[in-house]
Amino acid sequence: MTRTAPAPATPGASRAPGRALTVLVVSQVLGGAGTAAGITVGALLAQDLFDSTSLSGLPVALFTIGAALGAAALGRVCQHRGRRVGLALGNGVAAAGSAGVVAGAAAHQPALLLAALFVYGAGTATGLLARYAGAELAPPARRGRAAGTVLVAMTLGAVAGPNLVGPTGQLAHAWGIPRLAGPFLLATAAYTAAALVLLVWLRPLPAPPEPAAEDPGAGPASGAGPREPVRGTSGVVTGATVMVVAQLVMISVMTMTPVHLTGHGHGTQTAGLVIALHVGAMLLPSPLSGLLADRVGGGPVAAVSGGVLLGGGLLAGLAPPASVVLSACALVLLGIGWNLALIGGTTLLTHAAPAETRATVQGLADVGMSVAGATGGMVSGLVVTGSGYPTLAVAAGALALAVIPAVALRGSPR
């Protein structure tokens, strides 16, 4: 039987995914700066405008709700209009929300400020959604590394953003705007630049070829990577479950750790350092986690995350309150476990979701993560009030073990 030889790939086509990944990385650096700058002073800005600490938690609540709804809406836009349009729109929405926050603060209009914070939160959902775009640009054997590269790019912006709070506050004051609105000036500029970068330089690319469905009885081809389900509901459900559980566990412990530390005599500077180490552990290992997912598969990486999260929860709960070092180690373990779950779950979901509904499904998975984060933040305070921080940390770690049977029970490859 005569077989037609495949057409040789052109050099431009082979470089196109690399160029697109570079564009995504640049947009993520800009978006990370906008997100971190805004979150840094959101609660303080609300407290200053309302002249009350009781309402200072509203920005976080509105940010979380907006991010959940934004993930669903932007996922659908990406599905029907393409990643370029969806991601650029998300950054544009975040820029508009940031500008609205500045306007609300300058005019001393609390209603405008709160509405703008909601819009800002909806746009920031783009940051996590971009990891799916990175995964789709790469061939199946490199999807984990591509998603990790896009995620770690956020870290660069997230580190730079808070360090510019002082200069942007001075700029805002010079313009007759409250100092605390200064970081949202930065967010407006950063998100606008990110949207323009995506619109101008991110071009639609042909989807990389999916691996062909295999005979269940056949062994893996020589030199092939780990076998993952190519299509199927079980892979989608498993990937989403892993990410949602990890988000719930991580947020619940992270939220109450500063309260736990300051309640036992440690200063806010110490609590801030512990959280900074935690955030670094959440994002910096992304390339290594992606490489691991490409080598052994998203399922094993997701399963390992359960054990790492358990270790972090147990250490946080059993560490003496006087030991900042052990508390920091616990939060670093929680960050690494969350990262493994996110990369492993992303890889599973991207492999399993059909192309015709993939972006929508990915957006809904991130909605689940946002809801889990909001739930963890609210429930954690109740648990600590009723039973104490050690109970919360140990219970959260034990809950993380649920990802292991979720991975073990997923359907076998087609």
Side-chain angles (χ1 to χ4, degrees):
M1 180 177 180
T2 303
R3 300 181 65 180
T4 304
T10 63
S14 64
R15 291 194 302 265
R19 287 199 302 267
L21 186 60
T22 300
V23 172
L24 282 174
V25 166
V26 172
S27 70
Q28 284 290 89
V29 172
L30 293 167
T35 301
I39 292 177
T40 302
V41 299
L44 297 175
L45 183 59
Q47 180 181 357
D48 181 65
L49 195 60
F50 288 107
D51 195 23
S52 171
T53 57
S54 61
L55 297 176
S56 59
L58 269 178
V60 176
L62 290 169
F63 176 89
T64 304
I65 296 170
L69 297 179
L74 292 173
R76 292 183 64 85
V77 173
C78 289
Q79 185 68 59
H80 297 293
R81 301 295 301 275
R83 299 284 185 185
R84 171 173 167 264
V85 174
L87 296 179
L89 175 63
N91 282 288
V93 168
S98 302
V101 171
V102 174
H108 296 278
Q109 293 291 330
L112 175 59
L113 174 72
L114 295 178
L117 283 169
F118 174 82
V119 175
Y120 168 78
T124 58
T126 310
L128 283 180
L129 285 174
R131 76 188 188 276
Y132 294 119
E136 286 191 352
L137 288 171
R142 296 183 61 87
R143 280 177 173 166
R145 275 165 283 187
T149 299
V150 172
L151 272 178
V152 80
M154 289 180 62
T155 310
L156 302 177
V159 169
N163 291 323
L164 295 174
V165 168
T168 55
Q170 294 174 2
L171 177 63
H173 181 68
W175 289 354
I177 300 171
R179 289 182 183 271
L180 289 174
F184 284 96
L185 288 173
L186 169 64
T188 302
Y191 278 119
T192 300
L196 292 175
V197 164
L198 290 166
L199 281 174
V200 173
W201 284 294
L202 186 64
R203 294 302 176 195
L205 296 172
E210 300 287 349
E214 299 178 3
D215 181 356
S222 176
R227 295 179 62 182
E228 295 285 0
V230 179
R231 294 284 183 268
T233 303
S234 62
V236 171
V237 172
T238 301
T241 299
V242 168
M243 292 187 288
V244 167
V245 170
Q247 182 82 348
L248 177 62
V249 170
M250 184 274 294
I251 290 291
S252 62
V253 179
M254 182 197 71
T255 300
M256 298 310 298
T257 296
V259 177
H260 172 67
L261 291 174
T262 56
H264 286 86
H266 301 290
T268 54
Q269 185 90 9
T270 300
L273 175 61
V274 171
I275 295 301
L277 292 172
H278 168 70
V279 173
M282 287 172 60
L283 295 175
L284 289 177
S286 297
L288 182 59
S289 300
L291 176 62
L292 194 60
D294 291 336
R295 293 288 176 84
V296 303
V301 171
V304 168
S305 74
V308 177
L309 287 167
L310 171 64
L314 290 176
L315 183 57
L318 300 177
S323 176
V324 176
V325 172
L326 289 180
S327 294
C329 290
L331 268 291
V332 167
L333 280 177
L334 283 169
I336 294 173
W338 179 88
N339 183 270
L340 290 169
L342 187 70
I343 296 295
T346 296
T347 305
L348 283 172
L349 191 148
T350 302
H351 273 295
E356 59 271 14
T357 59
R358 183 177 294 154
T360 301
V361 169
Q362 290 164 341
L364 292 175
D366 281 9
V367 171
M369 289 181 63
S370 295
V371 172
T375 302
M378 291 186 294
V379 172
S380 61
L382 299 175
V383 174
V384 169
T385 300
S387 303
Y389 177 82
T391 299
L392 168 71
V394 172
L399 176 61
L401 290 178
V403 306
I404 297 177
V407 172
L409 295 176
R410 80 187 195 276
S412 60
R414 286 173 53 185

